[in-house]
Amino acid sequence: MPTANAPWWTRAVVYQVYPRSFMDSDGDGIGDLGGVLRRLDHLADLGVDVLWLSPVYPSPQADNGYDISDYQDVDPLFGSLETLDELIDQLHRRGMKLLMDLVVNHTSDQHPWFMESRSGPDSPKRDWYWWRGPREGFAAGDPGAEPTNWHSFFSGSVWNLDEPSGEYYLHLFDRRQPDLNWENPEVREAIYEMMRWWLDRGVDGFRMDVINMISKDVDPDGSLHDGPPLPGGPYGDGSASYLCGPRIHEFLQELHREVFAGREGSFLTVGEMPGVTVEEARLFTDPARAEVDMVFQFEHVDLDHGPSKWDPRPLRLLDLKASFGRWQAALADAGWNSLYWDNHDQPRAVSRFGDDSPECRRDSATCLATLLHLHRGTPYVYQGEELGMANHPFAGIGDFRDIESINHYAEARAAGMPADALLAALRRMSRDNARTPVQWDASPSAGFTTGTPWLPVNPDHDEWNAAAQRKDPRSVLAHYRRLIALRHEDPAVALGDFTMLLPAHEEVYAFTRSLDGTTLLVVCNLSRNPQPLAELVPDAVSAELVLGNLDVADPAVLAPWEARVVRP
Ligand code: TEU
């Protein structure tokens, strides 16, 4: 990307709010837009530029709002359209932007579109969704009668039988999240019209949920095909049929044209793309193709488990370096990276990639932040990450609320998996780890609600909370504030060329960023072992310290979990 006239989002930092767990203003124990408004100064103080708001649309909440039943309203659980208008106005007054989370691969099964589609095979909206009869040679409802063998992200088959019609409808996620049929131009036009409506209302862009799943690989006669069998059950992997399908670029270029063309303003489009490769991402984010500005890719968050996220394995720093290095190199001259450690779908960064022990938690959280924020790309801060929030100590299956975790537990137990091994995997990988209430202070509900929180507050909130960190210059919060300020002040952070150093070192992550003759050198020790910096990166020892996460005890030694940004 040329540095001159680089788009505004190359210098921006995005903060993700998962509203249900951010701040509750009406005492019902569930976060809401009123709560977001109350905490806006926290975001302004942090210095972030964009607020990514997870869904607040009307929804039965089967998947905490990622099952939308009305795209053009706000669920009373979270407030009203007027409250959202107020949020847009307050953000804009602070020079910040609003990125709406948009789920258009599927709707809720309670959306009027689906209710009409489900009303019968002759419904004018039948073809707005994916309906298929039973597999040839099977009767509807028979085991194996599902049209394809695909396994759902949320366990079981992706096909749900509609008894009255004897037909099945497709849902890549929960059965209450039927997939829209993007092959139908009526569906596409309805979505584009809705997106334009939101832009007219003042939003500044969209994070588009699983947007690389909207194009399915379907034959001209409508046939869909089985995927390779998955171990241990009757299902197969259908991802070759729905990840980055044959018309995905066509659909995204059409969306961009129909929604954004001709509009004045500075918008941002982010495509969440599970399974996207770096080669595909180059195409999706190449500005000349006008598809999306950046993608959320999953390569680095798939490094610490087997084919299933529930099969956790030790993370190797070499694998992380190789992955980040590949994405930095591939998108260096065309395209752009999103940079994230966690979000509402991932466990807490300090517990997963760092060391959340009492002696290492603060240092590892700030070390990880420094590493990520000094890469080339747009950094995302997930609510509470800036406070060093960690995974929750879930006691038993009854503590979990996430449909993905609960469904997986039921399916795996039915397949005979021992409960203790399952719980160990859930404690480590469940999305609920990221969904416990943000810890604002040390009061009983962490200042999140005056009621009973929908998900328990982490007991460590008495020590780990915003109030305790706000005025502490050594806090995780203060370090994030400094990192974000550095990105705004030094163009090399946003636009400098990236060069990986020490690719084979298993504990030190080091790289340079160079722009117009200036160079930043970043050295991070992702271990509990002191590192001989004078041997590893001699130029770093006597260089000017731009930003560090620890007081430098010995310039020639990188302390455990120490990160330094220096100017050689
Ligand atoms: O997530 C897409 C997705 O792939 C996730 O299911 C992710 O792979 C998994 O949760 C990791 O454990 C998006 C939303 O971010 C997620 O919250 C929704 O549940 C999902 O789509 C369906 O809308």
Side-chain angles (χ1 to χ4, degrees), residues 22-26 31-40 78 440:
F22 185 71
M23 177 68 196
D24 170 24
S25 68
D26 61 10
D32 48 44
L33 290 174
V36 178
L37 279 162
R38 278 195 201 168
R39 297 292 183 182
L40 272 193
F78 297 114
W440 297 105

Side-chain angles (χ1 to χ4, degrees), residues 53-73:
L53 183 64
S54 280
V56 291
Y57 314 93
S59 162
Q61 299 294 315
D63 186 17
N64 289 357
Y66 284 86
D67 50 318
I68 296 170
S69 56
D70 181 347
Y71 283 110
Q72 295 181 232
D73 202 350

